[in-house]
Amino acid sequence: MLFVVTVVFFAVRAVPGDPARLMLGGDADPAALTALRQELGLNQPLYVQYFQWLRRLLTGNFGESIRTGEPVLGSLAQVAGPTISIAALGMVIALMIAVPTGILSSVKRYEIEDYVSTTIAFFGISMPAFWIGIVLILVIGVNVDSIPTFGYTPIDEGVSPWFRSIILPAFAVGFPYGGILMRMMRSSMLEVLNEDYMRTARAKGLSSNLVLFKHGLQNALIPVVTLAGIFLAVVLGGVVAVEIVFGIRGIGRLLIGSINRRDFPLIQGTVLIISFVFVLANIVVDLLYTMINPRIKYGGGE
Amino acid sequence: MSEPLLDVRGLTTSFETGQGKLTAVDDISFSIGEGEVFGVVGESGSGKSVTALSVMRLLDDAGTVEADEIRFNGTDLLSLSEREMRNVRGGEISMIFQDPMTSLNPVMTIGEQIAEVVRHHGDVGERTGFWSEMRRKYVTGTSKESRSWQRAVELLETVGIPEPEKRATEFPHQLSGGMRQRVVIAQALAGDPSLIIADEPTTALDVSIEAQILNEILELSDEFGISVLLITHDLGVVRETCDRVAVMYASEFMETGHVDDIFEDPHHPYTEGLLASIPRIDDDREWLSVIEGTVPDLIDKPAGCPFRDRCDYAFELCDRPLVEYEIEGSALETHTVRCHRENEHVEVDDSGHIDAVPEEAVAALERRIEAESPGDAGGSVTSTTDVNARADGGRPTSPATGSENGGDQDEY
């Protein structure tokens, strides 16, 4: 995390552009500029700024937005809802697509089902989330009245409107992720199908469905779960772009806006939170991993 | 013993490959009596494992199995539906595979892996439908009170695993190789089968464990009256354990007979070569003898003896199709060889070589080939049904082999 903090801090400042000048306009009075820089603490040497920021971070203070003066955490909390909803539903959609089609195409290898599903997965991997979003708006959003193409309805205004407002962006985010996972599921299941224990299971007289789902599935999921955590970045990256397409005020929009305005504390805070979520998700994945793979046990044992 | 337990006639298994048709098993016939231990010995790639998998119908779509019949307990396995075949697998015929490291499922407890066989083939009254099994696997787990689980624990105890209640809840990686193979044996016994096919059961194990595991298989099969088809490349193992043995080379059975006949009086040059290559403790040879050359390519295999290019005694009949010759004077079991040197009209000189082939020999061979040609299985049956007939007038197999094995095992 410290590494992330450091990289974000310096990368943000390496980008050309001066927040004070952006706020006051191109032909601002030099004295006013200096005064504003003084106020924002931008006139101090970089390392001083860095350590000040770090010290405040340790006490849980993410600072205030340069532009609005609001606390960074507060503005993040305001827009977190849509982002979390879209990302979560997107992952659910991805898994619901990836696991069954991955299994299907491994079982029907080199048959029509396999070609169809790998082709769809290939599209998913090749198309960026925001483009899928645009296509979805054009094809479904415009033709189906009950599904809005724009904006977000919070969940406390009803589950159904909430769900309808995020289904398209979630699909746009989930599809590329699902494509990646499906291909992993397929190759991992193909490997499992050749394992000796699958032959043993058939030699026990189990039906082919039982062999596949009782003996195969869990083994095939092990590598998929690992990579699902790593490729979570695809979802998070997708959400940022998709929010713009669907005009949803989420963390992604906030981030893009703050980068455009060189709102250093807000950029830093947002990136930090996103990377924190990423790390957290990977911890969850690791815990899940120990559940499905009995060969891995953390914390000793006998 | 009127009818053998397993009777395989004219089994041929082939695979379509990019380079052509690969014949992995070429027209083999054998039978296994009740309580008998039948060995198939041969080098790697000779088709031993494919033979086993063909009998179990466990080859995937790539392999084509053809046979006049594979008769097990009176039913032809080839005529069964897939559903009926599932009752045979694990329940009537079970398998022990080579490598216990990979043949057990790494994410399932060993107790459940045994218990599921009990549920599917035993009479424990537990549901074995797809959703019941899935719920058991992913939601509830197998109940420790269930009869199948308790039977699994009993079986673990039977195969000599200490603390079976505790071990049953463990995963395969928590056990040593020898222990795992014991689990595999327990799994093979769980369906109460009448035949166990053991495919190189000790090849992946340490030599020190090998004898224990073999003894375990043989004692238990003897105790429960189970016949064993033992596949191995180890002649020592065959000698210690089997009643009858078939020597397999390049997808064909070269010589079949009682272990003592094969070891004391081998007739096929390949068998002789194999026996000569076993190192002996009283040897003062500096080099072990080897069989020169390599196994022929099994893709688009030509007719004739597959061993002829490596054979010291090869002569002009060797590129003719092989037929089975019965060796006279064998006291124990019918002893058959597929080598044209046994043709009654061919004269073999003292060194084993053949100078000239008389015309009667060729004529006799052609008559035999004619009689055995496809579409007329009668010829091959006449010459091979005797395999089960007893040359010594019916010495009972089971008790005799039991005591023989007992004696052999003590040597370990």
Side-chain angles (χ1 to χ4, degrees):
Chain A
M1 287 308 279
L2 181 71
F3 179 72
V4 173
V5 168
T6 312
V7 169
V8 169
F9 182 87
F10 289 104
V12 163
R13 278 162 180 75
V15 177
D18 175 356
R21 189 171 286 278
L22 278 170
M23 281 169 82
L24 296 180
D27 49 358
D29 172 25
L33 274 178
T34 319
L36 187 62
R37 285 197 191 115
Q38 179 92 42
E39 190 193 325
L40 298 175
L42 293 173
N43 57 342
Q44 287 168 333
L46 263 190
Y47 69 93
V48 177
Q49 292 184 39
Y50 174 65
F51 284 111
Q52 273 180 352
W53 186 55
L54 264 192
R55 207 177 56 215
R56 274 193 270 153
L57 265 188
L58 288 177
T59 62
N61 182 353
F62 280 64
E64 290 89 33
S65 162
I66 294 180
R67 172 60 62 106
T68 60
E70 279 175 41
V72 168
L73 276 185
S75 7
L76 275 174
Q78 268 177 18
V79 296
T83 307
I84 292 170
S85 308
I86 294 172
L89 186 63
M91 287 176 71
V92 171
I93 290 175
L95 287 173
M96 276 175 17
I97 300 174
V99 173
T101 52
I103 294 172
L104 181 75
S105 85
S106 64
V107 174
K108 304 273 183 187
R109 190 184 188 184
Y110 301 140
E111 288 174 40
I112 182 77
E113 292 91 335
D114 183 24
Y115 290 122
V116 170
S117 24
T118 41
T119 309
I120 294 175
F122 179 71
F123 274 111
I125 295 167
S126 318
M127 295 189 299
F130 74 87
W131 193 79
I132 298 175
I134 294 171
V135 172
L136 285 174
I137 290 176
L138 290 177
V139 175
I140 296 176
V142 172
N143 296 317
V144 182
D145 288 342
S146 55
I147 294 180
T149 59
F150 193 82
Y152 169 76
T153 317
I155 194 164
D156 34 85
E157 286 173 33
V159 173
S160 171
W162 166 78
F163 186 77
R164 276 185 277 131
S165 73
I166 60 166
I167 179 75
L168 290 188
F171 190 82
V173 168
F175 195 47
Y177 187 56
I180 295 170
L181 291 187
M182 179 267 164
R183 287 171 74 113
M184 275 168 212
M185 187 73 215
R186 176 178 182 270
S187 61
S188 133
M189 191 52 130
L190 281 176
E191 215 163 278
V192 166
L193 287 177
N194 280 324
E195 291 283 351
D196 284 354
Y197 53 77
M198 297 295 275
R199 191 183 53 190
T200 308
R202 284 194 293 143
K204 287 174 176 179
L206 304 181
S207 70
S208 49
N209 276 339
L210 265 184
V211 173
L212 188 64
F213 289 102
K214 190 177 175 197
H215 286 260
L217 181 62
Q218 192 179 346
N219 283 298
L221 278 176
I222 292 171
V224 175
V225 164
T226 319
L227 291 163
I230 294 168
F231 279 95
L232 199 66
V234 172
V235 172
L236 296 178
V239 173
V240 171
V242 163
E243 281 173 2
I244 311 280
V245 173
F246 284 89
I248 291 172
R249 278 178 45 83
I251 291 179
R253 270 248 304 233
L254 185 73
L255 182 64
I256 306 268
S258 61
I259 290 172
N260 286 339
R261 288 187 294 269
R262 303 291 184 277
D263 195 339
F264 293 153
L266 196 53
I267 304 174
Q268 286 160 194
T270 312
V271 173
L272 202 58
I273 290 292
I274 291 178
S275 56
F276 179 70
V277 168
F278 189 68
V279 169
L280 202 69
N282 273 291
I283 291 172
V284 172
V285 163
D286 280 352
L287 292 177
L288 208 63
Y289 190 72
T290 59
M291 269 173 60
I292 66 170
N293 188 352
R295 279 163 293 187
I296 307 283
K297 282 271 181 295
Y298 293 126
E302 294 145 76
Chain B
M1 196 188 74
S2 51
E3 176 128 317
L5 181 69
L6 177 71
D7 195 13
V8 176
R9 293 285 143 234
L11 174 67
T12 302
T13 303
S14 54
F15 297 90
E16 279 308 327
T17 68
Q19 287 92 49
K21 187 172 163 186
L22 186 150
T23 311
V25 177
D26 194 357
D27 191 22
I28 63 168
S29 299
F30 63 97
S31 63
I32 303 176
E34 259 167 62
E36 188 181 36
V37 179
F38 183 78
V40 175
V41 64
E43 48 197 291
S44 323
S46 57
K48 310 182 297 279
S49 297
V50 178
T51 305
L53 294 174
S54 304
V55 170
M56 293 287 271
R57 287 177 45 195
L58 273 177
L59 291 165
D60 51 18
D61 302 337
T64 316
V65 180
E66 291 161 304
D68 296 333
E69 61 177 2
I70 302 179
R71 188 162 287 278
F72 177 78
N73 251 343
T75 39
D76 190 356
L77 294 184
L78 288 175
S79 69
L80 294 182
S81 71
E82 179 59 27
R83 177 179 285 270
E84 291 166 322
M85 195 60 212
R86 286 211 301 268
N87 290 328
V88 173
R89 290 187 201 126
E92 301 285 334
I93 309 178
S94 58
M95 281 194 83
I96 296 173
F97 290 105
Q98 178 171 348
D99 190 350
M101 304 292 159
T102 57
S103 64
L104 288 170
N105 192 327
V107 302
M108 278 166 68
T109 60
I110 58 176
E112 167 56 15
Q113 296 192 49
I114 300 169
E116 72 176 349
V117 184
V118 176
R119 277 200 300 275
H120 279 261
H121 300 291
D123 187 21
V124 290
E126 288 166 36
R127 299 177 61 169
T128 56
F130 178 73
W131 292 111
S132 319
E133 285 286 345
M134 291 303 277
R135 193 166 61 240
R136 213 174 265 125
K137 166 84 174 80
Y138 292 106
V139 187
T140 59
T142 312
S143 156
K144 306 278 174 292
E145 263 73 58
S146 67
R147 283 176 66 190
S148 57
W149 184 273
Q150 284 168 355
R151 177 86 184 109
V153 172
E154 273 170 42
L155 281 161
L156 286 175
E157 196 167 12
T158 310
V159 295
I161 287 184
E163 300 180 88
E165 286 92 358
K166 178 169 163 286
R167 289 296 181 181
T169 61
E170 292 187 345
F171 291 94
H173 69 273
Q174 290 164 291
L175 275 68
S176 67
M179 283 293 171
R180 282 191 231 184
Q181 198 61 313
R182 284 171 193 271
V183 172
V184 174
I185 295 171
Q187 194 176 262
L189 293 171
D192 212 358
S194 37
L195 172 67
I196 291 180
I197 301 179
D199 186 357
E200 308 232 15
T202 55
T203 306
L205 300 175
D206 287 349
V207 183
S208 54
I209 312 287
E210 178 172 344
Q212 291 177 16
I213 293 294
L214 277 174
N215 276 350
E216 199 71 55
I217 295 174
L218 294 167
E219 275 169 21
L220 290 170
S221 60
D222 197 41
E223 188 182 331
F224 299 113
I226 303 171
S227 309
V228 177
L229 170 58
L230 180 71
I231 294 172
T232 178
H233 60 247
D234 189 334
L235 284 164
V237 167
V238 168
R239 168 128 236 195
E240 301 293 328
T241 57
C242 296
D243 302 320
R244 284 191 306 127
V245 59
V247 178
M248 197 165 189
Y249 177 78
S251 76
E252 293 180 51
F253 278 3
M254 308 311 285
E255 185 163 10
T256 310
H258 191 277
V259 169
D260 291 348
D261 282 338
I262 299 284
F263 276 80
E264 306 304 331
D265 183 24
H267 277 250
H268 198 286
Y270 178 63
T271 317
E272 285 172 22
L274 276 187
L275 293 172
S277 64
I278 303 178
R280 290 177 199 285
I281 201 143
D282 53 357
D283 245 347
D284 44 14
R285 286 180 295 181
E286 192 150 336
W287 296 94
L288 295 174
S289 60
V290 292
I291 304 176
E292 298 287 340
T294 52
V295 184
D297 194 353
L298 296 180
I299 292 176
D300 295 324
K301 204 172 93 175
C305 176
F307 189 60
R308 61 178 183 267
D309 292 339
R310 299 170 77 181
C311 185
D312 289 340
Y313 311 116
F315 67 114
E316 50 194 275
L317 283 183
C318 288
D319 50 7
R320 303 293 186 105
L322 285 178
V323 293
E324 205 155 71
Y325 297 95
E326 200 169 311
I327 306 300
E328 303 287 329
S330 150
L332 297 161
E333 289 273 358
T334 311
H335 182 175
T336 55
V337 177
R338 283 157 72 93
C339 175
H340 291 305
R341 291 200 308 156
E342 304 300 330
N343 189 311
E344 68 247 39
H345 303 289
V346 168
E347 298 239 346
V348 181
D349 66 21
D350 293 342
S351 67
H353 292 275
I354 288 150
D355 293 328
V357 180
E359 274 178 28
E360 309 93 83
V362 181
L365 175 61
E366 271 165 3
R367 281 197 303 278
R368 283 286 303 276
I369 293 170
E370 182 77 22
E372 287 182 17
S373 60
D376 177 20
S380 75
V381 173
T382 22
S383 64
T384 47
T385 35
D386 314 353
V387 171
N388 313 305
R390 323 222 128 237
D392 63 347
R395 196 181 66 139
T397 320
S398 309
T401 50
S403 60
E404 262 172 39
N405 284 334
D408 287 346
Q409 281 151 15
D410 291 341
E411 289 171 21
Y412 272 114

